[in-house]
Amino acid sequence: MSILITGGAGFIGSHTAVEFLNAGYEIVIVDNYCNSSPKAIDRVKEITGKDFKVYEVDMCDKDALEKVFIENPDIDSAIHFAGLKAVGESVQKPGLYYYNNLTSTLNLLDLMAKYNAKRIVFSSSATVYGAPKTVPIREDFDLSATNPYGQTKLMIEKILKDFWISDNTWSISILRYFNPIGAHKSGLIGENPKGIPNNLLPYVAKVAAGQLPYLSVFGNDYPTHDGTGVRDYIHVVDLAKAHLKALERAEKVQEVEYFNVGTGTGYSVLDIVAAYEKATGLKVAYKIAPRRPGDIDTCYADPTKAYEVLGWKAENNLEDMCRDLANWMQKNPNGYEGE
Ligand code: NAD
Ligand code: UFG
């Protein structure tokens, strides 16, 4: 039996590939490298000492994707990461986001049904909770989206549910990630944002490394302990391990299930600056800037369900996340392109 990992060259996909290989699974990766590098695949092989098949395929090309199923009849499950994920870009280019994220998913689901591989773990996001009325956020909270990226996540959650309603033999695990950061302890794989990063931690790391002059802290007048935005940061390796647990669960039950994947603890932007400085001994210069449109003040998970049902909980703390990110940055100052 083998597991199809879509978007397996990406940040979370590459870390998850390592965990599945280490756990003894056979994997097949599909990626078109639109936001990643084939070097991530070489690094996954280096870390694990294992080989596997990789297809450079755009999942919007259904014939090309079908070839993967035909050539690998032992695929019985998919971990579906492939998708575009930049919130701001999705507002500028909604057509691209709807086309890419929905078409690739519909092609995948149709082929999974055709080749009787009806078990899937899907990468959803805490963004589906919109602006939550209270925290911590539970899986049964109201859902909404404020941008096309978030809409694609909500739509795919709905599509998955409808597939299951039409055919109860699907096993579907929907993981709603909070804010993944950090990198593999080896420093061989990590986040590789192209250009100037949008997300906080890659930005902080580049400021600390002297590649950017200072961090703009987007707002210090939020109703939080220091006025800056609070998020639930989770180590990418902990997140990767949640996929193993979700797949084990999907091997047992034929349901659609939703799980928050976070630590349950919220840290502010200034907490992160202080933690990164402490973990690395480097200085993170910052300036207070206006709020970023669309941001919410506080977002953190109630991860109880993932613990009770999947037996998963985060093991790394904020210091581990900062240290591992800094290690990756130090070894790869220009990401995979630096080689
Ligand atoms: P990433 O961009 O590093 O990885 C996504 C991968 O999918 C990339 O390698 C990209 O090349 C590939 N891809 C995109 N469209 C494709 C297509 N049509 N065909 C084949 N490959 C395609 O992103 P990531 O951070 O690893 O995120 C993985 C998933 O998790 C995404 O679905 C994302 O929306 C979701 N997610 C990410 C975060 C986060 O903060 N990183 C938070 C919540 C949810
Ligand atoms: N922030 C700054 N300066 C920056 C970047 C971010 O102050 O240069 C602040 C933001 O205002 C926010 C916090 O840092 O308070 C975190 O911002 P990120 O952009 O890192 O993360 P978000 O929580 O805004 O969004 C991320 C992903 C979304 C995903 C969401 C929930 O980008 O795609 O987490 O998983 F939906």
Side-chain angles (χ1 to χ4, degrees):
M1 290 299 116
S2 118
I3 317 294
L4 179 65
I5 301 187
T6 78
F11 173 44
I12 307 168
S14 57
H15 288 82
T16 304
V18 167
E19 296 307 318
F20 274 81
L21 290 164
N22 285 344
Y25 283 91
E26 300 280 327
I27 66 165
V28 175
I29 285 182
V30 167
D31 204 301
N32 66 353
Y33 305 120
C34 67
N35 195 41
S36 55
S37 165
K39 285 180 189 139
I41 301 285
D42 300 338
R43 301 281 183 88
V44 168
K45 291 180 179 172
E46 189 180 337
I47 292 168
T48 59
K50 295 192 174 158
D51 202 7
F52 50 87
K53 282 204 221 170
V54 184
Y55 291 84
E56 182 173 352
V57 160
D58 181 344
M59 294 173 65
C60 295
D61 177 347
K62 195 170 181 182
D63 292 340
L65 187 58
E66 181 155 18
K67 227 173 134 229
V68 177
F69 281 87
I70 292 169
E71 289 182 9
N72 299 279
D74 55 345
I75 289 175
D76 66 353
S77 315
I79 316 290
H80 180 33
F81 296 102
L84 298 174
K85 62 163 186 178
V87 172
E89 187 186 49
S90 81
V91 177
Q92 305 302 323
K93 300 177 183 170
L96 174 67
Y97 272 68
Y98 286 116
Y99 179 77
N100 187 72
N101 293 1
L102 298 178
T103 309
S104 56
T105 303
L106 289 169
N107 287 344
L108 176 67
L109 294 177
D110 194 41
L111 292 169
M112 290 176 78
K114 182 169 174 183
Y115 292 93
N116 199 27
K118 292 187 276 188
R119 196 180 294 140
I120 184 166
V121 180
F122 172 63
S123 305
S124 189
S125 165
T127 195
V128 299
Y129 296 113
K133 290 191 193 83
T134 59
V135 284
I137 298 169
R138 284 197 321 270
E139 288 83 354
D140 59 0
F141 276 25
D142 290 345
L143 304 179
S144 68
T146 52
N147 55 69
Y149 165 70
Q151 287 289 1
T152 68
K153 292 296 177 196
L154 273 183
M155 287 175 177
I156 294 169
E157 287 201 1
K158 182 83 179 77
I159 289 167
L160 288 167
K161 180 75 183 270
D162 287 341
F163 268 68
W164 182 84
I165 289 170
S166 78
D167 174 356
N168 292 172
T169 66
W170 278 88
S171 298
I172 300 174
S173 186
I174 294 176
L175 301 186
R176 294 175 177 153
Y177 312 158
F178 282 68
N179 290 51
I181 63 167
H184 192 262
K185 291 210 182 322
S186 63
L188 287 169
I189 53 173
E191 193 169 8
N192 192 35
K194 294 196 170 148
I196 295 186
N198 295 307
N199 295 115
L200 180 63
L201 263 296
Y203 207 105
V204 164
K206 281 187 181 275
V207 171
Q211 296 179 14
L212 289 169
Y214 61 88
L215 168 74
S216 293
V217 174
F218 297 143
N220 67 346
D221 57 351
Y222 285 110
T224 62
H225 64 274
D226 60 16
T228 66
V230 166
R231 297 289 184 275
D232 186 337
Y233 297 94
I234 172 163
H235 196 297
V236 63
V237 172
D238 283 329
L239 174 56
K241 288 178 177 166
H243 294 78
L244 268 177
K245 297 286 191 182
L247 190 72
E248 282 167 17
R249 167 85 179 163
E251 283 164 357
K252 289 193 214 108
V253 299
Q254 293 178 329
E255 298 282 350
V256 191
E257 293 185 309
Y258 306 84
F259 299 100
N260 285 340
V261 189
T263 64
T265 303
Y267 289 105
S268 73
V269 177
L270 294 181
D271 290 337
I272 294 292
V273 168
Y276 201 83
E277 289 184 337
K278 183 160 179 266
T280 63
L282 301 169
K283 180 89 193 124
V284 180
Y286 69 86
K287 291 185 187 173
I288 304 299
R291 290 182 176 193
R292 183 171 64 178
D295 271 358
I296 56 174
D297 54 87
T298 304
C299 175
Y300 58 90
D302 178 342
T304 309
K305 186 176 173 195
Y307 182 63
E308 288 181 353
V309 179
L310 302 179
W312 172 90
K313 77 173 164 55
E315 286 164 2
N316 289 279
N317 62 25
L318 186 57
E319 194 182 337
D320 301 323
M321 302 182 215
C322 292
R323 190 199 51 235
D324 293 341
L325 171 57
N327 180 41
W328 152 253
M329 283 291 295
Q330 200 205 338
K331 291 189 168 140
N332 310 270
N334 299 307
Y336 297 112
E337 282 72 39
E339 282 201 333

